[in-house]
DNA sequence: TCCTTTATGTCGACC
DNA sequence: GGTCGACGTAAAGGA
């Protein structure tokens, strides 16, 4: 279903029909946009691409930027009306949010029935790093043995919990990118929380594993007595 | 410029022409997607919407989700070729990333010349909270006087730096959302850094301003001796 | 539902 | 270019 420079009525019919039949809808033209909800914003008339997905997502894209200039998350309800403009309204509760797009001119409108049952397979993530360390723990240090992943502490869940050659408790925090002070603080919170949990039965060491570390973060690590081990998220040759 | 169920050659011409003339291009059809760069991923054939922006952005959207399933950031170079499939390739250096979309069927293809010089005006942000406190400092506490914003410390820049009724130094950290332990740690780092900077000439207090606080973060604040003041990002009535 | 963490986060500001 | 922090972050996974 497609329309080139449709009248507001034609465009309204197409969008309404697309909404009814759970189609992917794309409308290109000159519009203004108003949003009110968690924040609020206004956008005066300009040329934009508006996408409506069958899951209730709305995206408003301008000619630049990777991110939509306005949007609604999945699960919203859409309705379309025509007065002197073509108005697409999207609403949700919890939190209450409303997005209104008013087209003064529609260049193209398309509705298409879309199915995509293929799942994305992704490598090079933090989950990958964890799997590699679990399959070869001594890559961290000799004698390291993982005991648990996602072990809970009062400060949150630890990526890898284990013991070293001297049977000290070891907390390993993984980051796939260069780390800043936040990661050092986070690891320190885990170590301190575990020390309290273990009632000082044994000492607790902390190891931060990431490709590299900023200067400020290294200072924090030194101050806290934590270790850093460099590791790239993907092996590659 | 638009095409309904074009041949690969027609679609290729349309996309090539759109790229050449810095137009916004949208292609809807059945394709597979391969990405290799910061991570790497594969996506088998399915129906998707592909958007090419004049700034070099590429977005691949499926029927669900607010985020694109694959993408390239602004500044990438695109090229389009046709063999037995219509292939759109996008590449950039630093970091080296490549995205390839192969269409086995094109349902719609559109290229449109877009201009949007309107800027989005947004309210209810952290910047708003800062302005409100600066215009009425006593909303935090009687006698509070702002001395600087973005004051630099070895731990980073402080949102608002000021003094209280007893001339103690005060560090104010703003968050527009409910805060977790990270914010408490961050504020503590600022306070500790300022104590060192000021050579203990005066005591340094820390105030975290946000709509609300998690239990864990409140514990951390208590431990560090920091204060919390609830404040909504938007006043409203 | 709330809470926490990750992300090919993206984006902007500053150095 | 690197570093840092905000975002109407979104999305996933657990309690």
């Amino acid at each position: 279903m497609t329309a080139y420079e449709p009248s507001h009525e034609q465009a309204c019919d197409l969008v309404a029909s697309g909404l009814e039949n759970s189609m992917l809808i794309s409308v290109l033209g000159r519009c203004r946009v108003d949003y009110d909800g968690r924040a609020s914003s206004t956008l005066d008339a300009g040329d934009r691409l508006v996408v409506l997905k069958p899951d209730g997502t709305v995206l408003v894209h301008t000619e630049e930027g990777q991110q939509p200039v306005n949007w609604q998350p999945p699960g919203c309800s859409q309705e379309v009306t025509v007065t002197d403009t073509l108005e697409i309204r999207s609403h949700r509760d919890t939190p209450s949010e409303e997005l209104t797009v008013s087209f003064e001119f529609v260049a193209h409108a398309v509705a298409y029935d879309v199915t995509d049952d293929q799942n994305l397979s992704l490598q090079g993530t933090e989950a990958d790093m964890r799997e590699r360390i679990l399959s070869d723990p001594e890559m961290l240090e000799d004698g390291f043995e993982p005991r648990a992943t996602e072990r809970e502490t009062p400060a949150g869940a630890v990526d890898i919990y284990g013991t070293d050659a001297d049977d000290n408790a070891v907390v390993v925090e993984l980051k796939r990118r260069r780390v800043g002070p936040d990661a050092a603080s986070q690891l320190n919170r885990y170590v301190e929380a575990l020390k309290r949990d273990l009632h000082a039965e044994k000492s607790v060491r902390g190891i931060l594993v990431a490709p590299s570390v900023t200067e400020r973060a290294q200072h924090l690590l030194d101050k806290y007595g934590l270790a850093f081990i460099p590791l790239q998220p993907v092996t590659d040759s």
Side-chain angles (χ1 to χ4, degrees), chain A:
Chain A
M1 221 163 32
T2 181
Y4 174 69
E5 294 195 5
S7 68
H8 287 346
E9 286 74 16
Q10 290 170 322
C12 182
D13 287 350
L14 189 146
V15 172
S17 161
L19 287 173
E20 187 138 2
N21 299 303
S22 295
M23 299 167 88
L24 181 71
I25 304 163
S26 123
V27 183
L28 190 48
R30 188 168 179 79
C31 59
R32 56 170 285 134
V33 185
D34 293 276
Y35 160 75
D36 195 54
R38 286 171 288 175
S40 76
S41 70
T42 335
L43 197 48
D44 279 339
D47 292 320
R48 284 139 207 158
L49 171 68
V50 177
V51 176
L52 311 179
K53 294 193 179 189
D55 70 349
T57 302
V58 182
L59 305 171
V60 181
H61 274 279
T62 65
E63 85 290 353
E64 64 177 13
Q66 178 172 348
Q67 295 304 123
V69 66
N70 273 119
W71 70 92
Q72 287 284 72
C76 296
S77 318
Q78 278 68 247
E79 57 179 318
V80 58
T81 56
V82 52
T83 54
D84 50 324
T85 64
L86 173 74
E87 218 173 79
I88 298 175
R89 240 165 299 129
S90 172
H91 175 267
R92 74 157 168 169
D93 310 309
T94 64
S96 173
E97 287 189 300
E98 184 146 284
L99 180 71
T100 306
V101 183
S102 299
F103 281 93
E104 63 186 60
F105 168 70
V106 177
H108 300 278
V110 176
Y112 187 65
D113 207 333
V114 162
T115 58
D116 182 356
D117 46 6
Q118 297 302 323
N119 283 321
L120 184 74
S121 83
L122 183 63
Q123 313 161 31
T125 63
E126 192 179 300
D128 270 4
M129 297 175 73
R130 185 176 59 237
E131 292 314 307
R132 279 167 55 214
I133 291 176
L134 292 180
S135 70
D136 180 17
E138 309 237 325
M139 72 191 298
L140 277 196
E141 66 177 28
D142 287 350
F144 174 69
E145 291 186 20
R147 303 290 183 191
T149 62
E150 305 293 319
R151 186 193 199 282
E152 277 299 332
T153 77
V158 164
D159 282 338
I160 301 179
Y161 171 77
T163 53
D164 68 8
D166 301 326
D167 202 38
N168 297 306
V170 177
V171 173
V172 180
E173 175 68 20
L174 305 174
K175 297 289 172 191
R176 68 174 303 280
R177 292 194 308 171
R178 180 174 175 82
V179 290
D182 282 0
S185 294
Q186 188 182 358
L187 177 55
N188 187 52
R189 287 203 306 276
Y190 293 154
V191 169
E192 292 302 318
L194 260 183
K195 278 183 184 168
R196 284 195 298 277
D197 255 23
L198 299 174
H199 300 297
E201 289 167 10
K202 38 174 145 181
S203 73
V204 179
R205 297 173 51 207
I207 302 180
L208 184 56
V209 177
S212 65
V213 59
T214 67
E215 200 177 347
R216 278 177 183 166
Q218 183 62 62
H219 281 148
L220 264 186
L221 289 172
D222 293 345
K223 175 181 157 194
Y224 292 143
L226 303 173
F228 172 76
I229 295 183
L231 181 69
Q232 296 297 321
V234 210
T235 25
D236 277 2
S237 82

